Structures are given as structure tokens and as C-alpha cells.
Amino acid sequence: MSNEAIRVTAHGPNGPQDGEQPPPERDASKEAADTVMSAFGGVRGMIDITLPGLVYIVTFNITHQVAASAWAALALCAVFVVVRLLRRETIQHAFSGVFGVGISAWFAMKTGKAEDFYLPGLLWNVGYCAAFAVSALVRWPMIGIMLGPITGEMFTWRKQNPGRLAAYTRATWAWAVIMGLKPVVLFPLWAAGQVSLLGWLKVALGIPPMLLAMYVTWRILLTAPPPIKAVVEDDEEEPGK
């Protein structure tokens, strides 16, 4: 009979693997903190998300046509996907960009209002900031959920690593606050129909807040306790043993 047992080991001086030299605790914390950028797609992922909006507003300022601007943004997203496929890279973030821009383009062409291209993104922004805040309140911080599988700790931080739970909670609140500033600034411009200013500010507020939130998260995790790895093993046992 096969029984699945979960063995928890500390990735540090208290729980080295056989034959391994245990790294210093700070090194383990730094290694875990460095996963922040990769979890959000890195610089390339942020570019994939930001550039289509830039192409949209530039095209609209030139043509003053919603459909042409929307199709230009979609075409750029398609190019990103093709390039990643040719280079055999993950298309997760590029595909997310296609999906998001596709919804925005459809919405803008449906209403005929250029500013509505940005409305789905603003609503999404509000939604995930609310989700981050709620997850922190119920002690299931979103940053921990996202980074746990990457660091190998899964959800050991919830019960066995209170210091890390506190760090993930602080980082999640940081994301909710920092990213929540974008809709506060942009929604009034959307309501006023200020398409050009809305578009340029949307691009300007694309990467910098994310980089700030990532940096704050990195700093918080750098001083947090190292992750406790969760290792899944299969113990093969004969019946009756």
C-alpha cells in the first residue's frame, strides 16, 4: 500500500539534506526573497503587459479611431506570443496580455468610447487589490499563496512559520495599498473622458508601482525567517507491515 507522507524540513541550519552543506539563514531568506520578480513574470512580463497600452494611446492620438487603436494593441500582443513561442519561452504572461487587451479592445469598440479601453483594466485593478486586502485579513495572504509553491514551502508558513506568515501579510498589504493608488488616480480621468491623459498616465503608472511593490516585498522577505520546505514523499509499505 502506498501512503503519502509529508516530511517538513527547514531549509537552513536546522534542516539540511543529507550530504548538503547547510546555507546560512540569511542566504535562505535572500533566496526566497529573490523569487518575487520571477513570480510576477520579471521585467519581460511587465513589458508584455504595458506596451500594448502605449501602442493603443499612440495610435489613437494619430488616427482618432477606436477600432484601429484597439487592433494595433491586439496585434502587438499577438507578436509577443509568437516571439515567445519561437524562443520556446513560457507564454503565460504574454497570453494574459492578449486576453486582457482583447477584453479591453472589445469593450472600447462596443461602446465607441476610447476611454473605455482602460475600464476593464481599472476594474481588474480594484478587484485584485480588494482580493489582496481580504486575503490578508483572513490570514491567507495572497503573496504567500503565490510564492509558497515557488520557494518549495507550499503552505507551511501558515501553521509552522509564524514569522513568515507575518511577513507575507505585510507584503500583501503593501501590494494592496501601492497598486490601489492607480485606480484612485485614473478613475476620475476615465469619468471625465480625458483619453490622452488617461492613456499616458496608465502607461506611466504601469511598471513603477509594480517595481515598488516588488522591492517592498523583497525587503520584507529578506528579513523574514527562512522558508520551511515541504517535501512530499511516497513510502511504499506492504500490507501488514
Side-chain angles (χ1 to χ4, degrees):
M1 180 181 296
S2 175
N3 296 322
E4 185 184 66
I6 297 183
R7 176 169 53 88
V8 176
T9 60
H11 184 62
N14 295 326
Q17 301 291 323
D18 292 339
E20 286 185 351
Q21 184 68 27
E25 201 170 281
R26 182 173 177 81
D27 287 349
S29 294
K30 184 178 185 304
E31 179 186 350
D34 288 344
T35 62
V36 175
M37 181 67 80
S38 62
F40 290 92
V43 174
R44 179 71 180 278
M46 287 185 282
I47 291 174
D48 287 354
I49 294 171
T50 303
L51 279 186
L54 176 60
V55 167
Y56 176 85
I57 194 60
V58 168
T59 306
F60 182 78
N61 281 333
I62 295 172
T63 66
H64 300 287
Q65 295 182 4
V66 174
S69 305
W71 282 113
L74 273 173
L76 181 61
C77 289
V79 169
F80 286 158
V81 172
V82 171
V83 169
R84 283 183 176 267
L85 284 173
L86 290 175
R87 299 178 63 175
R88 297 186 179 181
E89 298 174 348
T90 176
I91 63 169
Q92 175 186 351
H93 298 284
F95 185 76
S96 298
V98 171
F99 183 73
V101 172
I103 293 177
S104 298
W106 177 85
F107 204 78
M109 288 189 285
K110 189 75 173 176
T111 65
K113 296 180 179 179
E115 62 269 23
D116 284 349
F117 178 83
Y118 301 102
L119 183 57
L122 289 173
L123 294 175
W124 169 256
N125 203 158
V126 171
Y128 80 66
C129 285
F132 270 56
V134 170
S135 72
L137 287 173
V138 300
R139 297 177 63 80
W140 272 98
M142 195 70 72
I143 296 298
I145 294 173
M146 295 173 68
L147 296 186
I150 298 176
T151 60
E153 61 189 312
M154 300 306 289
F155 303 117
T156 59
W157 47 267
R158 282 213 77 233
K159 301 293 186 181
Q160 296 152 308
N161 205 340
R164 200 153 180 85
L165 170 60
Y168 280 144
T169 302
R170 290 197 303 273
T172 299
W173 277 118
W175 274 85
V177 171
I178 294 171
M179 301 306 290
L181 295 175
K182 290 173 61 178
V184 170
V185 172
L186 298 177
F187 256 121
L189 297 176
W190 169 81
Q194 298 291 324
V195 182
S196 291
L197 185 55
L198 172 61
W200 290 116
L201 276 179
K202 179 70 165 57
V203 172
L205 294 176
I207 293 179
M210 287 191 70
L211 289 177
L212 176 59
M214 288 180 187
Y215 176 73
V216 170
T217 302
W218 182 80
R219 291 295 305 176
I220 290 172
L221 296 183
L222 198 61
T223 57
I228 298 176
K229 301 277 185 171
V231 181
V232 179
E233 293 182 340
D234 290 330
D235 288 338
E236 297 291 339
E237 293 183 0
E238 295 294 332
K241 286 190 178 182

